Amino acid sequence: MILSGGQAVDLAPQSLGETTPTLSNGYFYASNGLSLSGKFATYAALYRAQPSIATLVDKVANSAARLTIKVWDETPPTGKVQDTTSPYAKLIAEPTQYMSPFNFYRWTFSTYEVYGEAFWYKQRDTSGQVVGLLPMHPSRTIVKRDDDGNTVFVFSIGGVGAAGILEAPADDVVPFQRYNPDSLMRGMSRLEPLRSTLLNEDAARRATASWWQRGARPSVALKHPGNLTQGAQDRLKATWESRHAGADLMGGTAVLEEGMEAQIIQLTADEMQYIESRKMNLQECCMVFDVPPPVVHILDHATFSNITEQMRSMYRDTMAPRLEDFESVIDFHLRAEFFATSDHPARFALDEVLRGDFETRATATQQLVNTGVMMPSEARPLFDLPDAGGIANHLYANAALVPLGSSVHGQQDVSTTGELIPSPMPSGAPKPPPPEAPPVTSTARSLMGNLGRVASAGGDVRAALVKEYGKGVDAPEIRQVVAKALSTYGLDDSVDDIADAWARDVLSERESA
């Protein structure tokens, strides 16, 4: 109920958005079709019969169904992360056990484009938790509004006024509805603005079929010099059609007797502007569905310079509003079943379809990595490359650009007097790498190999080290090699102690000699 001036008004809140406000209780039925030239066609029949409608609906639905819907967790202080373990994320990834995810979302988008609305029914377990989603066809769904303004969805197998086999409150249904200028309760099909276009297209196709069926010259007048009775006229017409009507009898020869003449009174294809009208019908369908013509292979105005941009605009301009609409409906009607706050939104992943060609992505990625914006580990998945390990989880930047007055490596600044002033390392900066180890030489390999054999045999490693020192005393790296050996075998001596011991041994040998 609505209060106005302290008085209760017997109108539901939704009635304020209706061109013809309805009382609180009422039924809102789906619009299932439209009138064409001499017949009524349902939306489903138009989809089956009109190639332009089927092509556009399939293009939009397949473009949306191929996208991955990701649930993001925005609660971590470090930023949002993808949620793959919560029941909500698992439901979005696999919404029903009766259809594959691609078919489920393709049905939803296709039905939405054809009927202007689509419904999901929430399947619950014994505890009331949503565990699955079922598609509800809008042509069989009646929207009911009770006396209190509450919405109830009735699924019926009959027509208007038939009893429903399923009544679901609004909390058990996820409704996707296009804008309807007359009501908030039902969506409006995109085919409604195309009434005249579809009528012309259907009439043109039926006329073409009749043209072939009747022999390519259906509008023929047979002129007889005399007056014929009705019976004679009927016999002459039947004889003519039996000999010349139909696609299989085209190109035959007609023999006219008794001074008769055949006059063609049909408009030519040029006079009817047949080809141009067909093109206009297709372009109007693209306009209503907001799809660039080159996307459905209408290349009349496509050029080498604009075709790529028009293809990319399919997701950027055409699909983006549709996807945003679906995301808001899912967040509003489904996310609340699992999370009380809005910190777990479901979003369609558009990165893959919006990124450019390989060369463009490679150039852009290189710039982002070299400027420290992106880590190599973040760039490699864009090219389907495996994880490169922890070394790729760092930010790198090209050091070619440095502030004026600083050294090449940015470690020292120049003061006003020209002196070099050490600049402190920024907080959190990685430590400089340790100096490289000396190269392994033949002296090092020989010394360490001999010591290893002595140690494995249980001999005196220190005495062997003194002896090996004498063998390589002239080598420039001997002190480094000895220091490494002392550390390896846990000896308390220093390099100088080993050198002194070798000198004493040499002196003792000389004295004994």
Side-chain angles (χ1 to χ4, degrees), residues 65-245:
R66 64 171 292 197
L67 301 176
T68 302
I69 305 182
K70 298 181 179 180
V71 176
W72 296 96
D73 183 4
E74 298 180 346
T75 57
T78 56
K80 67 177 184 180
V81 295
Q82 184 179 353
D83 178 12
T84 58
T85 59
S86 68
Y88 180 44
K90 293 180 180 179
L91 177 66
I92 292 296
E94 296 183 5
T96 181
Q97 60 179 333
Y98 305 104
M99 303 170 65
S100 67
F102 184 91
N103 286 338
F104 179 81
Y105 288 109
R106 180 176 59 184
W107 178 92
T108 303
F109 276 92
S110 299
T111 305
Y112 178 81
E113 294 298 321
V114 173
Y115 290 88
E117 52 188 1
F119 303 101
W120 293 347
Y121 177 75
K122 301 177 185 177
Q123 280 186 297
R124 301 181 185 271
D125 56 15
T126 54
S127 63
Q129 182 67 51
V130 179
V131 295
L133 300 170
L134 294 178
M136 292 176 59
H137 202 281
S139 65
R140 292 297 180 183
T141 302
I142 304 171
V143 181
K144 173 185 175 182
R145 199 163 63 199
D146 60 18
D147 294 335
D148 297 327
N150 299 320
T151 302
V152 178
F153 295 87
V154 182
F155 187 81
S156 174
I157 59 175
V160 176
I165 61 175
L166 173 66
E167 290 195 11
D171 293 338
D172 286 342
V173 176
V174 181
F176 300 94
Q177 296 172 326
R178 284 193 68 247
Y179 168 70
N180 188 338
D182 296 327
S183 174
L184 299 177
M185 307 302 293
R186 304 301 304 231
M188 188 185 74
S189 172
R190 291 185 186 273
L191 304 185
E192 289 294 333
L194 292 171
R195 282 178 175 267
S196 299
T197 302
L198 297 178
L199 186 150
N200 295 335
E201 182 70 12
D202 176 73
R205 288 181 173 275
R206 289 159 59 189
T208 302
S210 176
W211 188 75
W212 286 106
Q213 181 182 0
R214 297 177 182 275
R217 293 295 186 188
S219 301
V220 176
L222 293 179
K223 184 178 179 181
H224 195 279
N227 295 325
L228 300 178
T229 63
Q230 185 62 41
Q233 295 178 12
D234 294 341
R235 289 192 300 272
L236 179 60
K237 178 181 177 183
T239 302
W240 180 270
E241 290 183 350
S242 65
R243 293 180 179 179
H244 305 290

Side-chain angles (χ1 to χ4, degrees), residues 283 292-303 306-307 310-311:
Q283 291 175 354
V295 174
V296 289
H297 310 291
I298 304 177
L299 306 179
D300 295 353
H301 302 287
T303 63
N306 69 7
I307 185 65
Q310 293 197 58
M311 291 295 185

Side-chain angles (χ1 to χ4, degrees), residues 264-282:
I264 307 301
I265 61 175
Q266 180 191 15
L267 295 177
T268 65
D270 292 337
E271 292 172 337
M272 293 187 298
Q273 296 293 307
Y274 179 77
I275 303 299
E276 287 72 14
S277 65
R278 294 290 305 279
K279 287 184 177 181
M280 179 177 293
N281 293 340
L282 189 54

